[in-house]
Amino acid sequence: MKPDWTAPATLLADAEWVGARIGGAAKLYGCARPEVLGTIWWYSLSSVLVAPALDGLVAGTPADPSLDATELDLMADGRFLGARSTRLLDGGLPELGAAFAGALGTAITTIAAVTGARERALGAIATDSIGNRLLWTPDPGRAMALAEPLVAAIGLSLPKPRFVRVGRTPAVRRASCCLIYEVGNPKCVSCPRQTPSEREARLRAALG
Protein backbone atom coordinates (compact mmCIF):
# COMPACT_ATOMS: atom_id res chain seq x y z
CA MET A 1 0.00 0.00 0.00
CA LYS A 2 1.35 3.40 -0.98
CA PRO A 3 0.83 6.50 1.16
CA ASP A 4 -1.29 9.33 -0.22
CA TRP A 5 1.12 11.89 1.19
CA THR A 6 4.21 12.28 3.35
CA ALA A 7 4.65 14.86 6.09
CA PRO A 8 7.71 15.92 8.10
CA ALA A 9 7.36 14.84 11.71
CA THR A 10 8.31 18.37 12.79
CA LEU A 11 4.64 19.19 12.18
CA LEU A 12 3.90 17.43 15.46
CA ALA A 13 5.07 20.64 17.13
CA ASP A 14 2.46 22.63 15.19
CA ALA A 15 -0.74 22.85 17.24
CA GLU A 16 -2.82 23.94 14.25
CA TRP A 17 -1.69 20.97 12.13
CA VAL A 18 -2.14 18.50 14.98
CA GLY A 19 -5.57 19.91 15.76
CA ALA A 20 -6.66 19.52 12.14
CA ARG A 21 -5.43 15.93 12.00
CA ILE A 22 -7.16 15.00 15.25
CA GLY A 23 -10.34 16.75 14.11
CA GLY A 24 -10.21 14.62 10.97
CA ALA A 25 -10.03 11.50 13.13
CA ALA A 26 -13.72 12.00 13.88
CA LYS A 27 -14.40 10.75 10.35
CA LEU A 28 -12.75 7.46 11.29
CA TYR A 29 -13.92 7.06 14.86
CA GLY A 30 -17.06 9.17 15.14
CA CYS A 31 -17.72 12.20 17.26
CA ALA A 32 -16.14 12.08 20.69
CA ARG A 33 -14.62 14.39 23.25
CA PRO A 34 -11.36 15.99 22.05
CA GLU A 35 -9.28 14.18 24.66
CA VAL A 36 -10.68 10.83 23.50
CA LEU A 37 -9.93 11.50 19.83
CA GLY A 38 -6.48 12.82 20.75
CA THR A 39 -5.69 9.71 22.75
CA ILE A 40 -6.83 7.35 20.00
CA TRP A 41 -4.88 9.36 17.41
CA TRP A 42 -1.72 9.26 19.55
CA TYR A 43 -2.11 5.51 20.09
CA SER A 44 -1.95 5.03 16.32
CA LEU A 45 0.75 7.63 15.70
CA SER A 46 3.09 6.63 18.53
CA SER A 47 3.38 3.06 17.28
CA VAL A 48 4.45 4.35 13.87
CA LEU A 49 6.68 7.10 15.22
CA VAL A 50 8.88 4.85 17.37
CA ALA A 51 9.25 2.03 14.84
CA PRO A 52 12.25 3.09 12.68
CA ALA A 53 14.59 3.69 15.62
CA LEU A 54 13.52 0.53 17.44
CA ASP A 55 13.94 -1.68 14.39
CA GLY A 56 17.44 -0.29 14.00
CA LEU A 57 18.22 -0.59 17.72
CA VAL A 58 17.55 -4.33 17.77
CA ALA A 59 19.52 -4.74 14.54
CA GLY A 60 22.46 -2.83 16.04
CA THR A 61 22.17 0.30 13.88
CA PRO A 62 19.60 2.61 15.50
CA ALA A 63 18.06 5.33 13.38
CA ASP A 64 17.59 8.84 14.74
CA PRO A 65 14.00 9.30 16.04
CA SER A 66 14.30 13.10 16.22
CA LEU A 67 11.38 14.86 14.58
CA ASP A 68 13.63 16.67 12.10
CA ALA A 69 14.95 13.30 10.94
CA THR A 70 11.56 11.59 10.60
CA GLU A 71 8.96 11.48 7.83
CA LEU A 72 5.39 10.21 8.30
CA ASP A 73 3.41 8.44 5.58
CA LEU A 74 -0.33 9.11 5.74
CA MET A 75 -3.44 7.94 3.96
CA ALA A 76 -6.09 10.34 2.69
CA ASP A 77 -8.44 9.30 5.52
CA GLY A 78 -5.87 10.34 8.13
CA ARG A 79 -4.42 6.94 9.04
CA PHE A 80 -0.67 6.56 9.47
CA LEU A 81 0.85 4.03 7.11
CA GLY A 82 4.41 4.19 8.40
CA ALA A 83 7.44 6.33 9.19
CA ARG A 84 11.08 6.48 8.25
CA SER A 85 14.18 8.13 9.63
CA THR A 86 16.46 9.96 7.23
CA ARG A 87 19.65 9.46 9.25
CA LEU A 88 21.39 7.07 11.60
CA LEU A 89 21.83 7.95 15.25
CA ASP A 90 25.22 9.25 16.32
CA GLY A 91 25.73 7.58 19.70
CA GLY A 92 24.36 4.82 21.91
CA LEU A 93 21.47 4.30 24.30
CA PRO A 94 21.84 7.64 26.16
CA GLU A 95 21.75 9.55 22.86
CA LEU A 96 18.82 7.46 21.62
CA GLY A 97 16.94 8.17 24.83
CA ALA A 98 17.58 11.89 24.52
CA ALA A 99 16.43 11.94 20.90
CA PHE A 100 13.28 10.01 21.78
CA ALA A 101 12.64 12.37 24.69
CA GLY A 102 12.67 15.32 22.33
CA ALA A 103 10.40 13.70 19.77
CA LEU A 104 7.90 12.07 22.12
CA GLY A 105 7.91 14.98 24.54
CA THR A 106 7.11 17.47 21.79
CA ALA A 107 4.29 15.38 20.37
CA ILE A 108 2.77 14.65 23.77
CA THR A 109 2.91 18.31 24.81
CA THR A 110 1.22 19.43 21.60
CA ILE A 111 -1.54 16.81 21.76
CA ALA A 112 -2.22 17.57 25.42
CA ALA A 113 -2.44 21.29 24.70
CA VAL A 114 -4.76 20.80 21.73
CA THR A 115 -7.11 18.20 23.22
CA GLY A 116 -6.86 18.35 27.00
CA ALA A 117 -5.62 14.75 27.18
CA ARG A 118 -3.38 14.11 30.19
CA GLU A 119 0.33 14.01 29.42
CA ARG A 120 0.87 11.13 31.84
CA ALA A 121 -1.74 9.03 30.00
CA LEU A 122 -0.16 9.86 26.64
CA GLY A 123 3.25 8.95 28.06
CA ALA A 124 1.95 5.55 29.15
CA ILE A 125 0.76 4.95 25.59
CA ALA A 126 4.28 5.78 24.37
CA THR A 127 5.78 3.17 26.72
CA ASP A 128 3.35 0.52 25.52
CA SER A 129 4.00 1.40 21.88
CA ILE A 130 7.74 0.99 22.48
CA GLY A 131 7.14 -2.39 24.11
CA ASN A 132 4.88 -3.63 21.33
CA ARG A 133 7.17 -2.47 18.56
CA LEU A 134 10.14 -4.13 20.22
CA LEU A 135 8.21 -7.40 20.35
CA TRP A 136 7.55 -7.16 16.61
CA THR A 137 11.28 -7.17 15.81
CA PRO A 138 13.05 -10.39 14.75
CA ASP A 139 14.65 -10.85 18.20
CA PRO A 140 11.94 -10.27 20.82
CA GLY A 141 14.06 -11.73 23.62
CA ARG A 142 16.80 -9.16 23.10
CA ALA A 143 14.16 -6.50 22.51
CA MET A 144 12.53 -7.08 25.89
CA ALA A 145 15.92 -6.75 27.59
CA LEU A 146 16.41 -3.38 25.89
CA ALA A 147 12.98 -2.01 26.77
CA GLU A 148 13.50 -0.94 30.38
CA PRO A 149 16.92 0.75 29.96
CA LEU A 150 15.65 2.54 26.86
CA VAL A 151 12.54 3.91 28.59
CA ALA A 152 14.68 4.94 31.56
CA ALA A 153 17.01 6.79 29.17
CA ILE A 154 14.01 8.59 27.64
CA GLY A 155 12.76 9.87 30.99
CA LEU A 156 9.63 12.06 30.63
CA SER A 157 8.22 10.22 33.67
CA LEU A 158 7.24 7.34 31.38
CA PRO A 159 6.13 4.20 33.23
CA LYS A 160 8.38 1.15 33.07
CA PRO A 161 7.59 -1.27 30.23
CA ARG A 162 6.06 -4.53 31.42
CA PHE A 163 5.73 -7.88 29.68
CA VAL A 164 3.87 -11.12 30.33
CA ARG A 165 4.04 -14.51 28.67
CA VAL A 166 0.97 -16.14 27.26
CA GLY A 167 2.17 -19.68 26.92
CA ARG A 168 5.50 -19.17 25.15
CA THR A 169 4.45 -15.91 23.52
CA PRO A 170 5.54 -12.61 25.11
CA ALA A 171 3.06 -9.74 25.19
CA VAL A 172 2.99 -6.24 26.61
CA ARG A 173 1.22 -5.85 29.94
CA ARG A 174 -0.33 -2.53 29.12
CA ALA A 175 -0.05 0.50 31.36
CA SER A 176 -2.27 2.56 29.06
CA CYS A 177 -5.72 2.64 27.52
CA CYS A 178 -6.28 3.99 24.01
CA LEU A 179 -9.96 4.76 24.83
CA ILE A 180 -11.16 3.13 21.60
CA TYR A 181 -14.13 1.72 23.52
CA GLU A 182 -15.29 5.31 24.09
CA VAL A 183 -16.27 5.51 20.39
CA GLY A 184 -18.25 2.29 20.36
CA ASN A 185 -15.52 -0.23 19.53
CA PRO A 186 -14.62 -3.26 21.65
CA LYS A 187 -11.81 -2.87 24.16
CA CYS A 188 -8.40 -4.01 22.92
CA VAL A 189 -7.46 -7.59 23.80
CA SER A 190 -4.81 -6.38 26.24
CA CYS A 191 -6.77 -3.38 27.57
CA PRO A 192 -5.97 -2.74 31.25
CA ARG A 193 -9.59 -1.69 31.85
CA GLN A 194 -10.70 -5.30 32.11
CA THR A 195 -10.57 -7.75 34.96
CA PRO A 196 -7.28 -9.67 35.02
CA SER A 197 -9.10 -12.92 34.28
CA GLU A 198 -10.91 -11.44 31.27
CA ARG A 199 -7.69 -9.96 29.88
CA GLU A 200 -5.81 -13.25 30.32
CA ALA A 201 -8.58 -15.23 28.64
CA ARG A 202 -8.68 -12.87 25.66
CA LEU A 203 -4.87 -12.90 25.34
CA ARG A 204 -4.81 -16.69 25.38
CA ALA A 205 -7.52 -16.82 22.74
CA ALA A 206 -5.59 -14.39 20.56
CA LEU A 207 -2.05 -15.70 21.08
CA GLY A 208 -2.64 -19.36 21.82
Side-chain angles (χ1 to χ4, degrees):
M1 186 181 296
K2 293 183 178 180
D4 291 308
W5 58 296
T6 297
T10 50
L11 286 171
L12 295 174
D14 184 330
E16 184 176 350
W17 187 85
V18 169
R21 302 286 78 72
I22 293 174
K27 297 177 182 178
L28 289 172
Y29 305 114
C31 293
R33 301 190 314 276
E35 61 268 29
V36 171
L37 287 177
T39 300
I40 295 170
W41 189 79
W42 174 236
Y43 177 78
S44 173
L45 167 60
S46 62
S47 179
V48 167
L49 187 63
V50 302
L54 297 182
D55 290 344
L57 175 64
V58 175
T61 54
D64 191 341
S66 301
L67 295 184
D68 65 356
T70 303
E71 297 176 340
L72 302 169
D73 291 331
L74 297 96
M75 302 301 292
D77 62 6
R79 289 176 297 159
F80 293 97
L81 189 60
R84 73 185 66 82
S85 176
T86 59
R87 64 179 180 240
L88 294 177
L89 181 78
D90 184 13
L93 197 63
E95 289 75 20
L96 180 59
F100 261 132
L104 296 174
T106 297
I108 286 170
T109 298
T110 306
I111 295 167
V114 168
T115 68
R118 294 186 301 112
E119 290 191 18
R120 185 172 293 275
L122 300 176
I125 287 174
T127 287
D128 289 340
S129 289
I130 288 169
N132 272 318
R133 279 292 183 171
L134 284 170
L135 288 182
W136 295 356
T137 63
D139 189 350
R142 180 167 182 266
M144 284 191 291
L146 289 168
E148 186 168 337
L150 172 59
V151 170
I154 295 170
L156 299 179
S157 299
L158 299 185
K160 290 182 179 180
R162 301 179 298 173
F163 299 95
V164 296
R165 286 194 176 273
V166 182
R168 295 183 178 180
T169 305
V172 169
R173 182 180 177 186
R174 296 193 63 89
S176 69
C177 179
C178 69
L179 302 182
I180 194 70
Y181 72 92
E182 293 269 8
V183 293
N185 289 290
K187 291 179 180 176
C188 299
V189 169
S190 57
C191 180
R193 296 187 179 186
Q194 305 174 97
T195 64
S197 59
E198 181 181 8
R199 182 171 60 248
E200 181 178 358
R202 293 184 69 196
L203 281 169
R204 288 190 177 279
L207 301 178

